[in-house]
Amino acid sequence: MKKIFVISALIAAMFSQCYAQSITVEMYKTVKKGRGASVGRVVFKDIELKNGNHTVNGVLITPHLHGLPPGEHGFHVHEIANCANDGLAAGGHFDPGHTGKHLGPYQEGHLGDLPVLYVNKHGDSTTPVYAPRLQVKDILGHSLMIHAGGDNYSDSPEPLGGGGARIACGIIADKSKSKD
């Protein structure tokens, strides 16, 4: 998984970047009722990568997280903007195409499948990842979930990559539509 992060960073360095829409998602530990302790935030930015005549769009996802268990964690956009009931109120992975397939961020399955989140031995995560099939506008009104375990981008041997319990969640709110 570390190779994917390094390759993504190298590719990004080779391309010129133009940033568009961005959103910051505040993340909290999941609890039965209310909101758990803050674990930081995640920033999503639309990017356009250009190299000569070739252009690639997607979302750069930059975590600023702390207090998480070290290792790899499943990282997904979920259907419902609700983190209650230990994150279970968020529903399943965001899948507007109704594919019913958990194939990871680089294939035609759930649109909410993101690259694995890596947390260092100190419980921090700051390594950016790239989701090539998303734009910020796609994820507004949904939730962002961090799972206890890693993600093998498959439904075998366990469903949904085997990430297991939902340990942190945040609401991806469209501030322009907020009544605050």
Side-chain angles (χ1 to χ4, degrees):
M1 293 318 304
K2 289 181 184 179
K3 288 181 184 179
I4 291 174
F5 299 130
V6 172
I7 291 169
S8 296
L10 290 173
I11 290 171
M14 292 170 35
F15 291 86
S16 64
Q17 299 181 23
C18 298
Y19 291 96
Q21 188 173 5
S22 69
I23 190 164
T24 299
V25 181
E26 299 296 328
M27 299 293 293
Y28 301 91
K29 289 187 176 179
T30 56
V31 293
K32 281 279 184 204
K33 293 183 179 181
R35 180 186 291 173
S38 173
V39 295
R41 68 191 188 289
V42 178
V43 178
F44 288 79
K45 287 185 181 179
D46 285 336
I47 59 172
E48 182 178 85
L49 303 173
K50 292 183 180 184
N51 184 6
N53 293 332
H54 186 70
T55 301
V56 178
N57 294 303
V59 174
L60 181 66
I61 305 166
T62 307
H64 303 277
L65 300 168
H66 55 84
L68 295 171
E72 294 180 352
H73 296 274
F75 196 37
H76 308 101
V77 174
H78 280 243
E79 295 174 341
I80 303 166
N82 189 334
C83 293
N85 194 22
D86 289 326
L88 295 175
H93 295 182
F94 178 50
D95 188 19
H98 306 288
T99 66
K101 297 178 182 176
H102 179 71
L103 301 173
Y106 309 108
Q107 295 186 39
E108 297 298 321
H110 302 151
L111 193 57
D113 291 347
L114 302 177
V116 169
L117 180 74
Y118 176 75
V119 177
N120 69 23
K121 66 182 180 180
H122 305 291
D124 302 325
S125 179
T126 58
T127 304
V129 295
Y130 171 68
R133 299 186 311 130
L134 285 177
Q135 291 184 312
V136 169
K137 67 178 182 161
D138 298 330
I139 63 173
L140 297 174
H142 298 283
S143 59
L144 178 62
M145 193 70 61
I146 300 171
H147 292 267
D151 189 337
N152 69 0
Y153 303 137
S154 173
D155 284 319
S156 178
E158 295 182 47
L160 304 173
R166 300 169 184 202
I167 62 170
C169 183
I171 302 301
I172 308 170
D174 184 351
K175 301 288 187 206
S176 68
K177 294 181 181 177
S178 174
K179 294 182 181 180
D180 294 341

